[in-house]
Amino acid sequence: MGTAVLASALEQLRAMVHAKACEELSDRQLLEQFLIQREEAAFVALLQRHGPMVLQVCRRVQGNDHDAEDVLQATFLLLARKAGSIRKPESLASWLHGVAQRLAMKARSQESRRQAIERRAADMRSTGQVSDATWRELQRTLDEALRHVPEKYRLPLVICYLEGKTQEEAARQLRCPLGTVRSRLARGRERLKTVLERRGVCLSAAALTAGLAASAPSATVPPLLIQTTARAAIAFGAGKAAATLVSARAAALVEGGLKIMLTTKIKIVTTVLLTIGTLGLGAGAIATRLMAGSPQATQPTQLGKHQPSSQRPASEPSQESVRLRGRVLDIDGKPMAKANLLLYGTPGKPVDLGSPAADGQFMIEVPEKLKGYFLVARADNAGLDFVNLEKWDRTAPVELRLVADRLIRGRIMGTEGKPAAGVHVQIRNITVYANHALEPFLAERKKRNFNFGLPDGAKYVYFNADSYLETTTDANGQFTFTGVGADRLVGVRVNGASIADEALTILNCDGVEQTKPYTVGTGIMPPKPIGPIRSEPLLYGPDLSVVVEADKPIQGVVTAADTGKPLAGVEVVLPRNADSILGLFLSAKTDAQGRYEIRGARKCKEYEVRVKGDSAAGYLDSSGVATDTPGYQPVTADISVTK
């Protein structure tokens, strides 16, 4: 076997192994890995997961494998370019189905298809018999009709029927109860049946179910097609022309798909502007935000009557609010009046909602759109409790029960052995496991593949950049935290003072090794990850000592490739150092001269920086790579952004 052939085979095998390691990651996690790190393994995993369904949809419309493969490639190239604009990553299967169906229909004569559907439907009504050809045409019709079923009901239909997964697998993927999946499947079939009847296709419930079941993929996507599609998609997402990556027919479909998506976005913005115009609102500013894909940030509104005057909104609420009632209990389950309620959300600082009444009861108003919001109760000499408002049942009261606390004490030292004073230490997240104990975490950790990260908990809370759970190290490099709660997994970020950023994961319980990071159950360092996949972090005890190194400044200038002029206000991200994916988000924005400087990076052989594309300004994703410099001298990585 020649050297080139062997290298190609090894590279393909390595990609397949990487994709295998990604199988347990959700669509959201895979998309994030692809968007931030441009990981081929993550994109291959998405191709393996959803490619069979997409290929089956294309085959039903196109009628032959060659044309169907062109449409599949075009579909995933569009995913590579538009991944950042997908609002609900967990609905990726539905998004891919819709794009593939539209592209396949564009490649096929719509007029001939319409006549064929009418002829088949007439045959079905007159004879009551369904031939093989009719079934194929019916399945094409189902693909088109599915686009008109609400997303809430369409997604379970796509997962269970078109991707062939069980209802239990769909429930795990959608992170909702099995009963909810079954209910949405039933309602989805009814909605689909109604859509078909409007098109003159009348089916019984059994025939509709059979037609959906027959739409499931019967084969996988060929490995070579996966490999070529993934590489073409990554290159296309980085700004290369589709015509240089895929066939002329597939490239034409990609360009047509981009135009369709742009036209759809313009129509949505136009509709919103017309509505805004009738209300006399500021259309210009909102239009700019809509086209840029960054909706205007809204602050929490209508807070509780105990809200301190310093936190009270200066104007009327900017969005609808809902009323939330509940109570706060102490460690023993008794009403707790001396607690403090805080509302955390994205974006904005936490809002102080005051304290409950004497019986622990409270009544507050929170934003109607609760995505990303957490309600936290804290008190002296106790561990906090919280609720994820996005998952809150609005018909039920909230109960927040404080828990026993466990002090976290740490010390930050530099590589030269001196205390690191003035270092910023912040708790970014807290995870609670079943029965408020860490035993479920430890049991799952021992049998879990380290490449798949830490086991999920029963509930979690994320804190944004402004939190009361933050401090700085003293002259001895020491810091302490109270109020986190015992028997919890705590994520801590250490940064500032010209040191490389550190992400610490702390087991806040008694009886663990206190002097150095370790992995539970083995007592040894974990093996090297399979490729550049983020592995499970090392775990610390609640009394810890951490050695940090100096950071490596990364700086440069971002310019427009067509004009050579600097671009101001552009975010530059450092997603990885050489072959290691960073567990922390490091970024900086360019100034008026297009200059940026990223702090907190570790010293390594080379550094890759990225600029996310701006669809409103017409710029593509771009990146730059720079090699290391002697010692801790700054690294320069200039980036030219393509229009």
mmCIF file of all heavy atoms in Angstrom, residues 2 137 151 217 223 276 384 447 520 555 562 608:
data_model
loop_
_atom_site.group_PDB
_atom_site.id
_atom_site.type_symbol
_atom_site.label_atom_id
_atom_site.label_comp_id
_atom_site.label_asym_id
_atom_site.label_seq_id
_atom_site.Cartn_x
_atom_site.Cartn_y
_atom_site.Cartn_z
ATOM 1 N N GLY A 2 0.623 2.199 -0.883
ATOM 2 C CA GLY A 2 1.420 3.405 -0.971
ATOM 3 C C GLY A 2 1.286 4.267 0.261
ATOM 4 O O GLY A 2 0.318 4.161 1.027
ATOM 5 N N GLU A 137 -44.542 8.405 -4.254
ATOM 6 C CA GLU A 137 -45.039 9.760 -4.448
ATOM 7 C C GLU A 137 -45.676 10.296 -3.173
ATOM 8 O O GLU A 137 -45.554 11.482 -2.833
ATOM 9 C CB GLU A 137 -46.055 9.772 -5.595
ATOM 10 C CG GLU A 137 -46.357 11.157 -6.120
ATOM 11 C CD GLU A 137 -45.114 11.817 -6.699
ATOM 12 O OE1 GLU A 137 -44.416 11.194 -7.503
ATOM 13 O OE2 GLU A 137 -44.845 12.968 -6.309
ATOM 14 N N GLU A 151 -43.463 23.387 14.471
ATOM 15 C CA GLU A 151 -42.186 22.807 14.901
ATOM 16 C C GLU A 151 -42.348 21.893 16.107
ATOM 17 O O GLU A 151 -41.708 20.840 16.199
ATOM 18 C CB GLU A 151 -41.211 23.942 15.233
ATOM 19 C CG GLU A 151 -39.908 23.496 15.861
ATOM 20 C CD GLU A 151 -38.998 22.790 14.874
ATOM 21 O OE1 GLU A 151 -39.135 23.050 13.660
ATOM 22 O OE2 GLU A 151 -38.171 21.983 15.312
ATOM 23 N N PRO A 217 -35.028 5.846 7.039
ATOM 24 C CA PRO A 217 -33.869 5.468 6.224
ATOM 25 C C PRO A 217 -33.581 3.983 6.316
ATOM 26 O O PRO A 217 -33.666 3.391 7.392
ATOM 27 C CB PRO A 217 -32.724 6.297 6.826
ATOM 28 C CG PRO A 217 -33.168 6.611 8.210
ATOM 29 C CD PRO A 217 -34.666 6.742 8.143
ATOM 30 N N PRO A 223 -19.338 5.954 3.784
ATOM 31 C CA PRO A 223 -18.264 6.657 4.513
ATOM 32 C C PRO A 223 -17.519 7.680 3.660
ATOM 33 O O PRO A 223 -17.153 8.749 4.154
ATOM 34 C CB PRO A 223 -17.334 5.509 4.956
ATOM 35 C CG PRO A 223 -18.229 4.311 5.020
ATOM 36 C CD PRO A 223 -19.231 4.493 3.920
ATOM 37 N N ILE A 276 -44.353 47.030 13.336
ATOM 38 C CA ILE A 276 -43.793 48.089 14.178
ATOM 39 C C ILE A 276 -44.262 49.456 13.700
ATOM 40 O O ILE A 276 -44.572 50.354 14.485
ATOM 41 C CB ILE A 276 -42.261 48.011 14.176
ATOM 42 C CG1 ILE A 276 -41.818 46.736 14.892
ATOM 43 C CG2 ILE A 276 -41.634 49.216 14.832
ATOM 44 C CD1 ILE A 276 -40.341 46.456 14.772
ATOM 45 N N LEU A 384 -27.104 27.902 49.194
ATOM 46 C CA LEU A 384 -28.194 28.458 48.387
ATOM 47 C C LEU A 384 -29.033 27.363 47.731
ATOM 48 O O LEU A 384 -28.623 26.198 47.638
ATOM 49 C CB LEU A 384 -27.622 29.392 47.319
ATOM 50 C CG LEU A 384 -26.613 28.829 46.305
ATOM 51 C CD1 LEU A 384 -27.293 28.080 45.182
ATOM 52 C CD2 LEU A 384 -25.758 29.950 45.739
ATOM 53 N N LYS A 447 -18.008 4.778 35.383
ATOM 54 C CA LYS A 447 -18.299 3.971 34.194
ATOM 55 C C LYS A 447 -18.426 4.800 32.923
ATOM 56 O O LYS A 447 -18.622 4.252 31.847
ATOM 57 C CB LYS A 447 -19.590 3.185 34.405
ATOM 58 C CG LYS A 447 -20.823 4.061 34.597
ATOM 59 C CD LYS A 447 -22.068 3.208 34.843
ATOM 60 C CE LYS A 447 -23.318 4.076 35.004
ATOM 61 N NZ LYS A 447 -24.525 3.269 35.256
ATOM 62 N N VAL A 520 -11.684 10.843 40.270
ATOM 63 C CA VAL A 520 -12.345 9.986 41.250
ATOM 64 C C VAL A 520 -12.344 8.539 40.777
ATOM 65 O O VAL A 520 -12.640 8.246 39.627
ATOM 66 C CB VAL A 520 -13.792 10.466 41.469
ATOM 67 C CG1 VAL A 520 -14.515 9.519 42.406
ATOM 68 C CG2 VAL A 520 -13.758 11.870 42.052
ATOM 69 N N GLN A 555 -2.263 39.132 20.047
ATOM 70 C CA GLN A 555 -2.741 40.403 19.533
ATOM 71 C C GLN A 555 -2.652 40.422 18.014
ATOM 72 O O GLN A 555 -2.036 39.575 17.395
ATOM 73 C CB GLN A 555 -1.915 41.548 20.122
ATOM 74 C CG GLN A 555 -0.427 41.439 19.830
ATOM 75 C CD GLN A 555 0.412 42.421 20.626
ATOM 76 O OE1 GLN A 555 0.000 42.916 21.662
ATOM 77 N NE2 GLN A 555 1.611 42.717 20.137
ATOM 78 N N ASP A 562 -11.328 43.065 1.085
ATOM 79 C CA ASP A 562 -11.586 43.776 -0.169
ATOM 80 C C ASP A 562 -11.040 45.208 -0.146
ATOM 81 O O ASP A 562 -10.641 45.749 -1.181
ATOM 82 C CB ASP A 562 -13.083 43.783 -0.467
ATOM 83 C CG ASP A 562 -13.900 44.327 0.687
ATOM 84 O OD1 ASP A 562 -13.374 44.388 1.810
ATOM 85 O OD2 ASP A 562 -15.069 44.692 0.464
ATOM 86 N N GLU A 608 -4.661 29.566 17.286
ATOM 87 C CA GLU A 608 -5.646 29.798 16.227
ATOM 88 C C GLU A 608 -6.715 30.762 16.735
ATOM 89 O O GLU A 608 -7.333 30.518 17.779
ATOM 90 C CB GLU A 608 -6.304 28.494 15.796
ATOM 91 C CG GLU A 608 -7.354 28.661 14.708
ATOM 92 C CD GLU A 608 -8.037 27.357 14.347
ATOM 93 O OE1 GLU A 608 -7.707 26.340 14.974
ATOM 94 O OE2 GLU A 608 -8.899 27.366 13.462
#
